[in-house]
Amino acid sequence: MQTIDLSGFTGTTDKYVHSLPMTPDLLLTEGVKYFAEEAGAYWFMDIVATEFVPKLSEEDYIIFIQVTVDSDNGAVIIGSDGDKGDGPIILHTRTIEYTDLPPNSEFKFILTRSPNTLMLPSEW
């Protein structure tokens, strides 16, 4: 797979709904929707909706999510509180045995609540 260039996304005007049964809707910004389509990564949206959205709370209303793909196409998805002054606290980790995302790549996202929205850092 070729690289996925997300550098052109700044701010956002449109949001797209990602729905799964028995879970709250997840809104995707333009850059995240592009990522999902180009990378065939709607599976990532499913993981965010089912495993990361439930971690949102009054205290942790923003989760910084990083997807790191290794040279064997395995991946680790880590969600943290960023850093509230005492170093980042890991809120959730998910290991993926194999992905079609480009090897040796890294992608960053921000998940916010009210409403549940997944965006690129450049779209904040």
Side-chain angles (χ1 to χ4, degrees), residues 15-44:
K15 295 202 174 94
Y16 305 89
V17 178
H18 182 74
S19 295
L20 291 172
M22 310 288 288
T23 63
D25 285 344
L26 177 63
L27 298 180
L28 310 178
T29 59
E30 295 163 351
V32 173
K33 184 173 187 295
Y34 176 84
F35 170 79
E37 290 175 349
E38 289 297 305
Y42 278 100
W43 56 267
F44 172 65

Side-chain angles (χ1 to χ4, degrees), residues 26-77:
L26 177 63
L27 298 180
L28 310 178
T29 59
E30 295 163 351
V32 173
K33 184 173 187 295
Y34 176 84
F35 170 79
E37 290 175 349
E38 289 297 305
Y42 278 100
W43 56 267
F44 172 65
M45 307 313 133
D46 294 347
I47 289 171
V48 170
T50 59
E51 298 180 27
F52 287 85
V53 167
K55 304 291 181 191
L56 290 169
S57 66
E58 289 291 328
E59 184 177 326
D60 294 310
Y61 53 88
I62 298 174
I63 298 177
F64 297 88
I65 300 173
Q66 181 171 313
V67 180
T68 305
V69 184
D70 64 28
S71 60
D72 294 327
N73 283 91
V76 176
I77 305 169

